Amino acid sequence: RLKPTKIGIISRFDNEESLNVAYNTVKYLESKGIAYKLDKGIHNALNNRLNANLMDDIQDISHIISIGGDGTVLRASKLIEGNEIPIICVDMGTVGFLTEFGKEDVYSAIDSVLNGNYTIEKRTKLSGLINYDFNDKNAGKKELKEMQKFISDALNEVVITTNNPAKIMDFEVYINGILAENVRADGIIISTPNGSTAYSLSAGGPIIEPTVDAFIIVPICPFKLSSRPLVVDGNSEIKLKIMKKSAMVVIDGNKEALVSKGDEITFRKSNSYTYFVKGSNFYNKVKKLSLME
Amino acid sequence: RLKPTKIGIISRFDNEESLNVAYNTVKYLESKGIAYKLDKGIHNALNNRLNANLMDDIQDISHIISIGGDGTVLRASKLIEGNEIPIICVDMGTVGFLTEFGKEDVYSAIDSVLNGNYTIEKRTKLSGLINYDFNDKNAGKKELKEMQKFISDALNEVVITTNNPAKIMDFEVYINGILAENVRADGIIISTPNGSTAYSLSAGGPIIEPTVDAFIIVPICPFKLSSRPLVVDGNSEIKLKIMKKSAMVVIDGNKEALVSKGDEITFRKSNSYTYFVKGSNFYNKVKKLSLME
Amino acid sequence: RLKPTKIGIISRFDNEESLNVAYNTVKYLESKGIAYKLDKGIHNALNNRLNANLMDDIQDISHIISIGGDGTVLRASKLIEGNEIPIICVDMGTVGFLTEFGKEDVYSAIDSVLNGNYTIEKRTKLSGLINYDFNDKNAGKKELKEMQKFISDALNEVVITTNNPAKIMDFEVYINGILAENVRADGIIISTPNGSTAYSLSAGGPIIEPTVDAFIIVPICPFKLSSRPLVVDGNSEIKLKIMKKSAMVVIDGNKEALVSKGDEITFRKSNSYTYFVKGSNFYNKVKKLSLME
Amino acid sequence: RLKPTKIGIISRFDNEESLNVAYNTVKYLESKGIAYKLDKGIHNALNNRLNANLMDDIQDISHIISIGGDGTVLRASKLIEGNEIPIICVDMGTVGFLTEFGKEDVYSAIDSVLNGNYTIEKRTKLSGLINYDFNDKNAGKKELKEMQKFISDALNEVVITTNNPAKIMDFEVYINGILAENVRADGIIISTPNGSTAYSLSAGGPIIEPTVDAFIIVPICPFKLSSRPLVVDGNSEIKLKIMKKSAMVVIDGNKEALVSKGDEITFRKSNSYTYFVKGSNFYNKVKKLSLME
């Protein structure tokens, strides 16, 4: 396993506890003589306590430490997009599905990485295009039409949802070019296996082990009573066509675009992955899920 | 049964078919010598074909004919709020749960009413107050605080939902003053039995016969996996407290208010009812539900 | 409130802890000078420690103390069938939905009853007839046909289920004589509000407050995807017709009868009720439900 | 594609229509000069109309034609266990998920196969061992202990279910040796993707495309409200341990074994597959599902 050369630290900075864990982590890395850089938010927040380098470019970063909840991991995953940089995900006590280490495990996790004695889990991401075709060689090069764009890769899920809470939406769902379903619903979720324990689960989707090569399509409050979550092959091309009204495209919890009638959003497996330093066991996390309030 | 003295007609007016049914209904009433008035929308739409009276006041109306789908019925129900005026609900072919007669049955339905040979179904409505107490004698008389108001009675349901599609909400649900549940969800539905076959059903609620004296509380995409629809006694006082962020209050599909952190919305059975002239059987409609696309 | 004259005790007797609670309860009643009798099982089990009277007839019993879980309460409810005898339900630490008092509350519960300072909750039961009609004056008097009988009242639910685990069943469900549903499923549950937190909940039914006047019909693993739990008016007559194969009739967890193709089972609200001395709050029990493993 | 040398015919023989389709199929094969043999049941049933060979051994069979519903396909799949013989699945009009051709398509399906102009879909099966270990080299060779056996491969699903309808069961579920879940339920389903549209769907499982390399674990009426269907990697070893009582092992609808407290049933992907001649599209079948009564 690759040993770290320079560690990037990304952290929540809106509470004292995260700041302290980040600070102590830095001090631990310094004691081990490991170079590090801090992401902008935590860099500013620790400015008065540390004279640290800003991580303004991730090209020379070998590993990331993410301190916070699943939201921080999703930010870290977005930050390293396309680069094979393992993330050490540390949570702050709240139940996280993406985090692999408790804050009490942070030093031992760092030690394992320093010793090269760790396992990496490669997680699939979902890539999306609005009004493009993945097979179009000019995709992204053409001048931008009214709404024609690449959207960020999703580690958990993409949600296409009404931005008018009182009104139902209509979608056509195509799998590999074949009309699979007409969906009337408040919205629709396309989830990775990784995202199966997040929003997809609340909407009625199954729990899927991260290694299964598949995506989940889950309608939100579907009108049709016979509607069921659908697990499609990970090599499928999934296309949603907006049949009425306008909708929000929400990626891993962030609003990314507004689409409207006639727009098509096409998804397939991303060429890049997110790499996690493996800590706790999947089923231990599933057990915690059932106790979450 | 009360015979009609003056019939009010409310109708969709955005398609030719509804206009024709409304026009033919008027002609039929004229042939029978029954007085009628037209609701504003259909009055305007038929202005060039009919010299009809505008229904600007419902005080002298004895019966309403609603021509259209469930949306039109919900409008009619709102229009007669507080008055015991039976509604003859005619649909335009699409499946409706509130409509009781097909467009081909409109003359025979009118005949039954003219003969006094009909049954009335009394439907419970849900009454809501924002930041008031039902026991507060000054409710509605006090000057308006920032957000303190009566909201319209709901024939189907009240939905309290995030107006920020990417973000989950937190509610406290009190039944008769006792904290029954902490709900983290996209939103929450308080439904009448009547509304049990509408939005509540899409969110996972049960089907409830209209005569059951109860309300249904259904969270939308709840975070807690053990969350279940809850059917409470129809004489309960249901109070929702908004614990975070702001939310939309949507009544029978119409946005009515915006509430925010700390606001409380209290519900109980309305003092007034909606009265339907009975046509088709409840279970025939339930059977159609399963075939809806 | 009625003060107790003679208390009947029914208890689990298959573990030391229940025996001890029963023994201590007896000693407490003796210290207060209250007469009591013991149900057969616990009478035998405490035979060597107590010289107690056997409860061979419930006619002179004024109150029952039930010591154990929900199963013991169901037995107590069956025992007093038709008599208005309040039950003080004490559990042994496991989560019970019918029990109202923890074992640590047993003395204070008894005190409240002795003082007449208690509330009674009246719970609806479900009455069933196989191949009879409730309106048949001779029901129960006629000679028994092949399968024609009264079945015990259910406090929680009646389950009609295949007794051949590999094979699906077909039912017709009639509500007040109208065919409401054709059900293909492993079985079907008819539950009281009281039973809504028991087996019905596992099969997908809603939680219903005990005071709602309604019954729940829930298919078990229905073939039809649009199938939903149905809440019918508590004054309805519910009739199930077995269309294929044979089935078991299970009442509150006890197999009561075997029915087969063509048999009809008719249900309505029982004329008698079960009376509980009220202890804990319904919603506190609902909260515990979500933590049950 | 392999052209057929000798075709085996397996068919329902309990209705006239299937007999006629089987008879006409034979006549069509004869007209084309293709050799065929008949499975025992249909051989007997057509004995008076045909002088056909009995298929007593499948070693020389190149292709199978299955005439009937999903049950017949499951029988055919069991018959060819371990052999790479494509099955042409013809249904009799009822909706089947395994059948690929309507009875009106039988000649054109045969023609495609004769021309070598067809596609084969390879479907995963589930292999199970009772009280053996897949890594035990002597598995199956040792003398039989009380309950120690190979069980038939499942094309759809294995159900472990209480054989006492009134009583709940307890299982421990291990994935690759790790305790993943404690399940209290009426039973548990281990389904292939192929079986995702069969019993698993009725119990709340998702629809999974046949090419996804995964198995589904679905509890039947689980006690724990937070219980959800679980989709595990197709290369997992799934072990169920029976913690209480006895249970039936039902494979593709057939009772195969009785297991009891302490018994362990281990599953993994079978080394052999079932091969279907591809006809209709998966999503067309999914659409039909929603209309099934």
Side-chain angles (χ1 to χ4, degrees):
Chain A
R1 279 291 162 212
L2 191 74
K3 297 198 184 179
T5 53
K6 187 165 286 175
I7 291 184
I9 298 178
I10 181 169
S11 175
R12 284 187 67 161
F13 46 90
D14 58 349
N15 63 70
E16 204 53 39
E17 195 182 11
S18 298
L19 293 180
N20 287 338
V21 173
Y23 179 82
N24 292 334
T25 299
V26 161
K27 288 300 165 191
Y28 191 75
L29 292 176
E30 285 178 349
S31 78
K32 296 282 181 174
I34 307 295
Y36 63 88
K37 285 185 172 176
L38 299 189
D39 182 54
K40 199 176 162 204
I42 187 69
H43 186 269
N44 287 348
L46 291 182
N47 205 17
N48 55 344
R49 297 166 69 183
L50 281 175
N51 184 13
N53 289 319
L54 177 67
M55 178 170 64
D56 45 9
D57 179 0
I58 55 152
Q59 290 313 319
D60 62 343
I61 298 296
S62 69
H63 292 69
I64 292 267
I65 297 179
S66 163
I67 298 169
D70 284 0
T72 311
V73 178
L74 291 172
R75 277 206 297 138
S77 168
K78 190 169 177 181
L79 196 74
I80 62 166
E81 200 160 328
N83 291 281
E84 196 170 333
I85 302 173
I87 310 176
I88 303 162
C89 303
V90 180
D91 70 47
M92 290 289 98
T94 61
V95 179
F97 228 86
L98 300 174
T99 54
E100 296 269 325
F101 300 97
K103 65 185 172 190
E104 66 284 1
D105 306 320
V106 61
Y107 302 146
S108 65
I110 290 171
D111 288 348
S112 306
V113 172
L114 296 184
N115 300 332
N117 180 26
Y118 62 103
T119 310
I120 283 179
E121 283 204 341
K122 192 176 153 182
R123 300 291 176 90
T124 299
K125 291 187 295 181
L126 187 62
S127 218
L129 294 177
I130 300 178
N131 292 335
Y132 274 117
D133 188 320
F134 277 101
N135 301 314
D136 179 356
K137 285 183 183 164
N138 293 315
K141 292 178 191 159
K142 292 186 292 191
E143 58 193 295
L144 228 57
K145 291 195 192 155
E146 201 186 341
M147 168 50 62
Q148 189 185 42
K149 59 182 276 192
F150 283 89
I151 50 178
S152 308
D153 279 2
L155 180 57
N156 270 353
E157 79 284 294
V158 178
V159 186
I160 318 289
T161 182
T162 175
N163 60 342
N164 185 339
K167 301 297 173 197
I168 205 164
M169 295 199 60
D170 281 88
F171 304 93
E172 285 179 355
V173 180
Y174 295 83
I175 308 295
N176 297 322
I178 292 172
L179 177 60
E181 284 188 287
N182 292 286
V183 174
R184 305 197 70 199
D186 283 359
I188 201 164
I189 303 166
I190 318 290
S191 171
T192 65
N194 207 53
S196 74
T197 47
Y199 189 39
S200 169
L201 191 59
S202 289
I207 296 173
I208 303 198
E209 282 189 336
T211 52
V212 174
D213 188 16
F215 295 108
I216 321 166
I217 304 175
V218 188
I220 302 171
C221 296
F223 182 75
K224 186 160 48 172
L225 294 184
S226 58
S227 193
R228 287 293 181 280
L230 178 64
V231 179
V232 298
D233 195 293
N235 301 304
S236 306
E237 188 185 88
I238 303 164
K239 188 171 75 184
L240 298 189
K241 186 167 184 181
I242 312 296
M243 303 308 289
K244 272 205 295 194
K245 308 206 178 74
S246 65
M248 206 91 82
V249 180
V250 180
I251 298 182
D252 288 342
N254 296 303
K255 286 183 219 166
E256 183 116 354
L258 203 71
V259 288
S260 50
K261 184 179 168 174
D263 284 340
E264 294 182 344
I265 316 171
T266 309
F267 299 98
R268 64 180 183 189
K269 199 192 294 176
S270 173
N271 293 323
S272 72
Y273 295 82
T274 297
Y275 301 85
F276 289 140
V277 173
K278 192 170 163 50
S280 66
N281 175 270
F282 180 70
Y283 289 102
N284 285 335
K285 294 194 245 177
V286 171
K287 277 171 213 156
K288 282 188 203 157
L289 263 185
S290 66
L291 300 174
M292 285 201 283
E293 289 289 317
Chain B
R1 278 290 161 215
L2 192 75
K3 297 200 183 179
T5 52
K6 188 164 284 176
I7 291 184
I9 299 178
I10 181 168
S11 174
R12 286 188 66 161
F13 46 90
D14 60 349
N15 63 70
E16 204 53 40
E17 196 181 9
S18 298
L19 293 181
N20 287 337
V21 174
Y23 179 83
N24 292 334
T25 299
V26 161
K27 288 298 166 194
Y28 191 74
L29 291 176
E30 286 177 348
S31 78
K32 295 281 179 176
I34 307 296
Y36 63 87
K37 285 185 171 177
L38 299 189
D39 182 55
K40 199 175 163 205
I42 186 69
H43 186 269
N44 287 347
L46 290 181
N47 205 14
N48 55 344
R49 297 167 69 182
L50 280 176
N51 184 15
N53 289 321
L54 177 67
M55 177 170 62
D56 44 11
D57 179 0
I58 55 154
Q59 290 313 319
D60 63 342
I61 298 296
S62 69
H63 291 71
I64 292 267
I65 298 178
S66 163
I67 299 168
D70 285 0
T72 310
V73 178
L74 291 172
R75 277 206 297 138
S77 168
K78 190 170 175 180
L79 196 73
I80 62 164
E81 200 159 325
N83 291 280
E84 197 170 332
I85 301 173
I87 309 175
I88 303 161
C89 303
V90 180
D91 70 44
M92 290 288 99
T94 62
V95 179
F97 229 86
L98 300 175
T99 54
E100 294 269 326
F101 300 97
K103 65 185 172 191
E104 66 285 1
D105 307 321
V106 61
Y107 301 145
S108 65
I110 291 169
D111 288 347
S112 307
V113 172
L114 296 185
N115 300 332
N117 180 25
Y118 62 103
T119 310
I120 283 179
E121 283 203 341
K122 192 176 154 184
R123 300 291 176 91
T124 300
K125 292 187 294 180
L126 187 63
S127 218
L129 293 178
I130 300 178
N131 292 336
Y132 274 117
D133 188 320
F134 276 102
N135 301 314
D136 180 356
K137 285 183 183 166
N138 293 314
K141 292 178 191 159
K142 294 185 291 191
E143 59 194 295
L144 228 58
K145 292 196 190 155
E146 201 185 341
M147 168 49 62
Q148 188 185 42
K149 60 181 274 192
F150 283 90
I151 50 178
S152 307
D153 279 1
L155 180 57
N156 270 352
E157 80 282 294
V158 178
V159 186
I160 319 288
T161 181
T162 175
N163 61 341
N164 185 338
K167 301 298 173 196
I168 205 164
M169 295 199 61
D170 282 87
F171 303 93
E172 284 178 356
V173 181
Y174 295 83
I175 309 294
N176 297 323
I178 292 172
L179 178 60
E181 282 190 289
N182 292 285
V183 173
R184 303 198 70 198
D186 283 0
I188 201 163
I189 302 167
I190 318 290
S191 171
T192 65
N194 208 51
S196 75
T197 49
Y199 190 39
S200 168
L201 191 59
S202 290
I207 295 174
I208 303 197
E209 282 190 338
T211 52
V212 175
D213 187 17
F215 295 109
I216 321 164
I217 304 176
V218 188
I220 304 171
C221 295
F223 182 74
K224 186 161 48 171
L225 295 184
S226 58
S227 194
R228 287 293 180 278
L230 177 64
V231 179
V232 298
D233 194 293
N235 300 304
S236 306
E237 188 185 88
I238 303 165
K239 188 172 76 184
L240 298 189
K241 186 168 183 181
I242 312 295
M243 303 307 289
K244 271 204 297 194
K245 308 205 179 73
S246 65
M248 206 91 84
V249 180
V250 180
I251 298 182
D252 287 342
N254 296 304
K255 287 182 220 166
E256 183 114 354
L258 203 71
V259 287
S260 50
K261 184 179 168 173
D263 284 339
E264 294 182 344
I265 314 170
T266 309
F267 299 98
R268 62 179 185 190
K269 200 191 295 174
S270 174
N271 293 322
S272 73
Y273 293 83
T274 297
Y275 301 85
F276 290 140
V277 174
K278 192 168 164 50
S280 65
N281 175 270
F282 180 70
Y283 289 102
N284 285 335
K285 295 194 243 177
V286 171
K287 277 170 213 157
K288 281 187 202 156
L289 263 185
S290 67
L291 300 174
M292 286 200 282
E293 289 291 315
Chain C
R1 278 290 160 214
L2 192 75
K3 297 199 183 181
T5 53
K6 188 164 285 174
I7 291 184
I9 298 178
I10 181 168
S11 173
R12 286 187 67 162
F13 47 91
D14 60 348
N15 64 68
E16 204 53 41
E17 195 182 10
S18 298
L19 293 181
N20 287 337
V21 173
Y23 180 82
N24 292 334
T25 299
V26 161
K27 288 297 166 194
Y28 191 75
L29 292 176
E30 286 178 350
S31 78
K32 296 281 179 176
I34 306 296
Y36 63 87
K37 285 185 172 178
L38 299 189
D39 182 55
K40 199 176 161 202
I42 186 69
H43 187 268
N44 287 348
L46 290 182
N47 206 16
N48 55 344
R49 297 167 70 182
L50 280 177
N51 185 14
N53 289 321
L54 177 68
M55 178 171 61
D56 45 10
D57 180 0
I58 55 153
Q59 290 313 320
D60 62 343
I61 298 295
S62 68
H63 292 70
I64 293 267
I65 298 180
S66 164
I67 299 168
D70 285 359
T72 310
V73 179
L74 292 172
R75 277 206 298 136
S77 168
K78 190 169 177 180
L79 196 74
I80 61 163
E81 200 158 325
N83 291 280
E84 197 170 332
I85 302 173
I87 310 175
I88 304 162
C89 302
V90 180
D91 70 45
M92 290 288 97
T94 61
V95 180
F97 228 88
L98 300 175
T99 54
E100 295 269 326
F101 299 97
K103 65 185 173 193
E104 66 283 2
D105 306 320
V106 61
Y107 301 146
S108 65
I110 290 170
D111 288 348
S112 307
V113 172
L114 295 185
N115 300 332
N117 180 25
Y118 61 104
T119 309
I120 283 179
E121 284 204 341
K122 192 176 153 184
R123 300 292 176 90
T124 299
K125 292 188 295 181
L126 186 63
S127 217
L129 293 178
I130 300 179
N131 293 334
Y132 274 116
D133 188 320
F134 277 101
N135 301 314
D136 180 356
K137 286 183 183 163
N138 293 314
K141 292 179 192 160
K142 293 185 292 191
E143 58 194 295
L144 228 58
K145 290 195 193 156
E146 203 186 340
M147 166 51 61
Q148 189 185 43
K149 59 182 275 190
F150 283 90
I151 50 179
S152 308
D153 279 1
L155 179 59
N156 270 353
E157 79 283 294
V158 178
V159 186
I160 319 288
T161 181
T162 174
N163 60 342
N164 184 339
K167 300 297 173 197
I168 206 165
M169 295 198 62
D170 283 86
F171 303 93
E172 284 178 356
V173 180
Y174 295 83
I175 310 294
N176 297 323
I178 291 172
L179 178 60
E181 284 189 288
N182 291 286
V183 174
R184 304 198 70 199
D186 282 2
I188 200 162
I189 303 167
I190 317 290
S191 172
T192 65
N194 207 51
S196 74
T197 48
Y199 190 39
S200 169
L201 190 59
S202 290
I207 296 174
I208 302 198
E209 281 190 337
T211 53
V212 175
D213 188 16
F215 295 109
I216 321 165
I217 304 175
V218 188
I220 303 171
C221 296
F223 182 74
K224 186 161 45 172
L225 294 184
S226 58
S227 193
R228 288 294 180 278
L230 178 64
V231 179
V232 298
D233 194 292
N235 300 305
S236 307
E237 188 184 89
I238 303 164
K239 188 172 76 183
L240 298 188
K241 186 168 183 181
I242 312 295
M243 303 307 289
K244 271 205 296 195
K245 308 205 179 74
S246 65
M248 206 91 83
V249 180
V250 180
I251 298 181
D252 288 343
N254 296 303
K255 286 182 220 167
E256 183 115 354
L258 204 69
V259 289
S260 50
K261 185 179 168 173
D263 284 339
E264 294 182 344
I265 315 171
T266 309
F267 299 98
R268 64 178 184 191
K269 199 191 295 176
S270 174
N271 293 323
S272 73
Y273 293 82
T274 297
Y275 300 85
F276 290 140
V277 174
K278 191 167 162 54
S280 64
N281 176 269
F282 180 70
Y283 289 103
N284 286 335
K285 295 194 247 177
V286 171
K287 278 171 211 157
K288 282 187 203 157
L289 263 184
S290 66
L291 300 175
M292 286 200 284
E293 289 289 315
Chain D
R1 280 289 162 215
L2 192 74
K3 297 201 184 177
T5 53
K6 187 165 287 178
I7 290 184
I9 298 178
I10 181 169
S11 175
R12 285 187 68 161
F13 47 90
D14 58 350
N15 63 69
E16 205 53 39
E17 195 181 11
S18 298
L19 292 181
N20 287 339
V21 173
Y23 180 82
N24 292 334
T25 299
V26 161
K27 288 300 166 193
Y28 191 73
L29 292 176
E30 285 178 350
S31 78
K32 296 281 179 174
I34 306 297
Y36 64 88
K37 284 184 172 178
L38 299 189
D39 182 56
K40 200 176 161 204
I42 187 68
H43 186 268
N44 286 348
L46 291 181
N47 206 17
N48 55 344
R49 297 166 69 184
L50 280 176
N51 185 14
N53 289 320
L54 177 67
M55 178 170 63
D56 45 10
D57 179 1
I58 55 153
Q59 290 314 318
D60 63 342
I61 299 295
S62 69
H63 293 68
I64 293 267
I65 297 178
S66 163
I67 299 168
D70 284 1
T72 311
V73 178
L74 291 172
R75 277 206 299 138
S77 169
K78 190 169 177 180
L79 196 74
I80 62 165
E81 201 158 326
N83 291 281
E84 196 170 332
I85 302 173
I87 310 176
I88 303 161
C89 303
V90 180
D91 69 45
M92 289 289 98
T94 62
V95 179
F97 229 86
L98 300 174
T99 54
E100 296 269 326
F101 300 97
K103 65 186 174 191
E104 66 284 2
D105 306 321
V106 60
Y107 301 146
S108 65
I110 291 170
D111 288 347
S112 306
V113 172
L114 296 185
N115 300 332
N117 180 25
Y118 62 103
T119 310
I120 284 179
E121 283 203 342
K122 193 176 152 182
R123 300 291 177 91
T124 300
K125 291 187 295 181
L126 186 64
S127 217
L129 293 178
I130 300 178
N131 292 335
Y132 274 116
D133 188 320
F134 276 102
N135 301 314
D136 178 357
K137 286 183 183 165
N138 293 314
K141 291 178 193 159
K142 294 186 292 191
E143 57 194 299
L144 228 58
K145 290 192 193 160
E146 203 187 338
M147 168 48 63
Q148 188 185 44
K149 59 181 275 191
F150 283 89
I151 50 178
S152 308
D153 279 0
L155 179 56
N156 270 352
E157 79 283 295
V158 179
V159 186
I160 317 289
T161 181
T162 175
N163 60 342
N164 186 338
K167 301 297 172 196
I168 206 166
M169 295 199 63
D170 283 86
F171 303 93
E172 285 178 356
V173 180
Y174 295 82
I175 309 295
N176 297 323
I178 291 171
L179 178 60
E181 283 188 287
N182 292 285
V183 173
R184 302 197 72 198
D186 282 1
I188 200 163
I189 303 167
I190 318 290
S191 171
T192 65
N194 207 52
S196 74
T197 48
Y199 190 39
S200 169
L201 191 59
S202 290
I207 296 174
I208 303 197
E209 281 190 338
T211 52
V212 175
D213 188 16
F215 295 109
I216 320 165
I217 304 176
V218 187
I220 303 171
C221 296
F223 182 75
K224 185 161 47 172
L225 295 183
S226 58
S227 193
R228 288 293 180 280
L230 178 64
V231 179
V232 299
D233 195 292
N235 299 305
S236 306
E237 189 184 89
I238 302 164
K239 188 172 76 185
L240 299 188
K241 186 167 181 180
I242 312 295
M243 303 307 289
K244 272 206 295 195
K245 309 206 178 75
S246 65
M248 206 90 84
V249 180
V250 180
I251 299 182
D252 289 342
N254 297 303
K255 287 182 219 167
E256 184 114 354
L258 204 71
V259 288
S260 49
K261 183 179 170 174
D263 284 339
E264 295 182 344
I265 315 170
T266 309
F267 299 98
R268 64 179 185 190
K269 199 191 293 175
S270 173
N271 293 323
S272 72
Y273 294 82
T274 296
Y275 301 85
F276 289 140
V277 174
K278 190 169 165 50
S280 65
N281 175 269
F282 180 69
Y283 289 102
N284 286 335
K285 294 195 245 178
V286 171
K287 277 171 214 158
K288 281 186 204 158
L289 263 185
S290 66
L291 301 175
M292 285 200 284
E293 289 290 314

